[in-house]
Amino acid sequence: MMGEQTRRVAAPRTYLMCPPSYFAVTYAINPWMRPDADAPADAGLAMRQWAHLRQTYLGLGHTVRTIEPVPGLPDMVFAANGATVVGGTVLGVRFRHPERAAEAGAYLDWFRAEGWPVAGVPEQYNEGEGDILVAGQTLLAGYGFRTDEDAAGELAAVFGRPVVSLRLVDPRFYHLDTALCVLDAGTAMYYPAAFDDAGRATLASLFGELIEAKDEDAEVLGLNAVSDGYHVVLAAEATGLARQLSARGFAPVPVDLSELRKAGGSAKCCTLELRGARR
Ligand code: ARG
């Protein structure tokens, strides 16, 4: 029906975050990272931006758990890569790059200490919620840069849900969560150029409503956003995307994460959703 707006509904979430106490750009494993940059990441500012992101979630009524950061793991702030948690079950991760490998055990230890059922550690490279997104009952698995295409089989076996694979083709959008954001079970926003023809067709068949991000919004990592079904927390610079979200009945919540972006991450990367958490 013309002009009819779907009503968007927020649902309270539980997130895991890791303070950027040891954050720095000391190696380059994606095109955003420049260890020799003229304007290096400001660790103090990164911490303030991260704290503001956490406060933003709390202000929206969400629960935020935190994990103790480990010295020598500068990317551990990117909690999305720490696990995949669906229906109260935890699957650990296996990082492609040795620089981040030790984060896998640190996150697993946290889940075990908290009494979560841990299904195991993947055989294939699997960078957790960076590459694995949830849309209703379906898991979406990105591959091409970090997570292996064959990780899909392990995901299906562990979670007992259909898994749809999506090939990523642009190295700037190396994790699925930099190119696609699930807003609710039937709605997503994405950057078409980050996918191949098959992937674009898959997304069109999965989602009744798809918002296409413009280059300038994707290039500030605006798609690395966190939706609770109504509020969408995203990079402040992604102003065009914020307007598109408002026009569709969502409430954009802009946050400044300039320093974390110097490592290739934004809001979503800093946030692991604990689905099925006891609240
Ligand atoms: N520097 C990190 C890496 O390249 C950034 C990870 C961003 N995380 C994400 N979920 N996209 O691995």
Side-chain angles (χ1 to χ4, degrees):
M1 253 174 285
M2 286 291 290
E4 188 168 299
Q5 180 87 256
T6 316
R7 203 172 72 89
R8 312 295 180 178
V9 183
R13 313 284 169 138
T14 301
Y15 298 129
L16 178 62
M17 298 180 72
C18 178
S21 312
Y22 307 105
F23 175 67
V25 179
T26 55
Y27 50 77
I29 57 172
N30 70 54
W32 303 83
M33 303 177 85
R34 294 191 299 123
D36 302 322
D38 296 334
D42 176 333
L45 182 54
M47 184 60 94
R48 292 194 293 281
Q49 293 176 338
W50 179 89
H52 177 75
L53 177 64
R54 178 173 170 277
Q55 277 309 127
T56 300
Y57 292 139
L58 295 173
L60 294 173
H62 303 307
T63 301
V64 179
R65 305 294 317 276
T66 50
I67 176 174
E68 196 66 33
V70 175
L73 297 176
D75 273 338
M76 195 170 161
V77 59
F78 299 115
N81 300 121
T84 302
V85 185
V86 179
T89 295
V90 179
L91 178 64
V93 295
R94 186 179 295 279
F95 284 95
R96 183 168 296 270
H97 297 288
E99 291 88 339
R100 296 196 66 186
E103 293 179 42
Y107 277 95
L108 214 53
D109 287 347
W110 184 88
F111 281 102
R112 291 205 166 110
E114 291 282 323
W116 285 75
V118 174
V121 174
E123 300 256 310
Q124 309 287 334
Y125 289 123
N126 176 326
E127 299 203 353
E129 236 189 51
D131 274 324
I132 294 133
L133 301 180
V134 179
Q137 284 301 305
T138 305
L139 304 184
L140 308 176
Y143 69 94
F145 296 104
R146 299 294 182 85
T147 297
D148 278 321
E149 186 176 4
D150 290 343
E154 290 182 281
L155 289 165
V158 167
F159 294 113
R161 298 199 181 195
V163 181
V164 171
S165 293
L166 296 163
R167 181 193 295 277
L168 297 167
V169 300
D170 182 333
R172 294 173 303 164
F173 305 101
Y174 57 95
H175 276 141
L176 183 61
D177 70 358
T178 63
L180 172 71
C181 173
V182 176
L183 297 166
D184 61 38
T187 316
M189 55 181 183
Y190 79 124
Y191 185 50
F195 298 90
D196 60 10
D197 285 338
R200 285 186 288 267
T202 301
L203 290 171
S205 70
L206 276 172
F207 295 100
E209 254 185 290
L210 269 178
I211 298 174
E212 291 191 9
K214 302 266 183 283
D215 296 351
E216 59 270 27
D217 290 316
E219 286 165 0
V220 292
L221 292 178
L223 290 165
N224 194 244
V226 177
S227 171
D228 65 13
Y230 175 54
H231 309 99
V232 183
V233 178
L234 83 172
E237 296 86 345
T239 52
L241 203 51
R243 276 193 299 277
Q244 286 170 284
L245 286 163
S246 298
R248 303 281 190 131
F250 291 97
V253 180
V255 286
D256 183 2
L257 292 167
S258 63
E259 301 315 290
L260 281 314
R261 189 165 60 231
K262 293 175 182 172
S266 192
K268 171 63 209 149
C269 295
C270 297
T271 311
L272 176 63
E273 185 168 348
L274 306 180
R275 295 184 192 77
R278 298 174 298 266
R279 290 178 57 91

